[in-house]
Amino acid sequence: MAEPLVLGFETSCDETGIGLVRGHTLLSDALATSMAEHERFGGVVPEIASRAHLEAMVPTVHRALADAGAALSDVDAVAVTSGPGLTGALLVGVAAAKAYALALGVPLYGVNHLAAHVAVDELEHGRLAEPSIAMLVSGGHSSILLVPDLSQDVVELGRTIDDAAGEAFDKVARVLDLPFPGGPPIDRAAQEGTASIAFPRGLTGPRDPAYDFSFSGLKTAVARWVEAQQRDGVHVSVPDVAASFQEAVVDVLTAKAVRACRDHGVDHLVIGGGVAANSRLRAVAQERCDAAGIVLRVPSRRLCTDNGAMVAALGSRLVMAGVAPSQPDLGADSSLPIDVVSR
């Protein structure tokens, strides 16, 4: 069959992402963000995000089509993130995608946001080796997955039991008076410092779950260390705290991902999600994968954060695999489990 042209909608958080993908080829990736409206609150406000999606939706679709040199009549299928994410934000995207699919008379695919973070790598590095291990690290999720077949078979091996890695970055950034979101400023500050402070590595004991994460204790340890230094009148080196915190997160993430590959006899690891843009995570993952004989795949930084291209990429994979499209009554599921690739 000819490679389908898929229009993808992503609205799970604060980014309105519209992507156009033909087969495994990215044609356009238009993005509108409401991040500036959330900064003063120190986190994403769901109601503000939902209203911003409403305002940005149609102009962003038009921009994606213009960038691709395509018309709506060229679209063969529509894909949309139907979960997990913020309920109100998801509903805007699902409603828009259903309207476009109905008007165009094309099939609609409601897809899993986390599986889409894995699928986006195929736009840059070709078809994913199957099976692969995938590690997804973002503001809302930190998971290790076994992926025998991205179109229909994804198994969760482990996940965070409290804070996601990106959430910990945001909270530590607040402690250090760095801007929101915390990932990029901590990454930049860490490059000027040394990882000289021994912060804890959660769930790394011999009896702890092999693939689960915990970052809440680390976040608290950083906050208490900073408070103690300030109470004693000691200067706090933001770069050193940032580097030490970042090293603790990266150490645990990469060690568990490599262990999952070894334990399951899998020699391909893909890392996705917003935290995958972190320079230290990318460097340490490459070092440890090289040492273990594992092929590492990480999307370019712009495709790690939420975008419409990743949704279109997974939609394209589903169309080409012959997976049945979603029903017209497709809804949003804020806690959609990772083993449900499409619904």
Side-chain angles (χ1 to χ4, degrees), residues 316-341:
S316 178
R317 177 72 111 87
L318 295 172
V319 173
M320 291 190 291
V323 174
S326 304
Q327 295 299 311
D329 62 353
L330 173 72
D333 184 347
S334 62
S335 55
L336 185 67
I338 182 55
D339 58 356
V340 180
V341 176

Side-chain angles (χ1 to χ4, degrees), residues 177-311:
D177 289 327
L178 294 173
F180 174 85
I186 285 180
D187 195 351
R188 287 192 295 271
Q191 292 172 28
E192 307 297 323
T194 58
S196 54
I197 308 162
F199 288 132
R201 271 72 166 156
L203 294 186
T204 54
R207 296 187 180 181
D208 288 326
Y211 314 123
D212 282 351
F213 301 109
S214 172
F215 297 111
S216 180
L218 169 61
K219 169 203 65 185
T220 303
V222 174
R224 286 180 175 168
W225 189 91
V226 170
E227 287 168 7
Q229 297 298 105
Q230 292 173 335
R231 189 170 55 245
D232 294 341
V234 179
H235 169 70
V236 173
S237 168
V238 170
D240 287 353
V241 175
S244 302
F245 160 75
Q246 178 177 270
E247 198 67 20
V249 174
V250 167
D251 184 19
V252 173
L253 289 174
T254 54
K256 290 191 177 236
V258 169
R259 178 175 177 179
C261 289
R262 283 178 168 154
D263 290 352
H264 292 82
V266 173
D267 61 1
H268 279 71
L269 171 65
V270 58
I271 303 179
V275 180
N278 180 271
S279 62
R280 185 61 182 159
L281 175 59
R282 296 168 85 96
V284 174
Q286 192 66 64
E287 290 168 12
R288 291 185 168 176
C289 284
D290 287 347
I294 296 166
V295 177
L296 175 66
R297 295 172 41 147
V298 190
S300 61
R301 285 178 170 82
R302 72 182 185 88
L303 292 181
C304 287
T305 49
D306 292 350
N307 59 80
M310 68 187 206
V311 179

Side-chain angles (χ1 to χ4, degrees), residues 9 11 80-83 89-99 108 330-332:
F9 291 76
T11 64
V80 60
T81 294
S82 62
L90 289 168
L91 283 169
V92 176
V94 169
K98 287 164 75 169
L108 171 71
L330 173 72

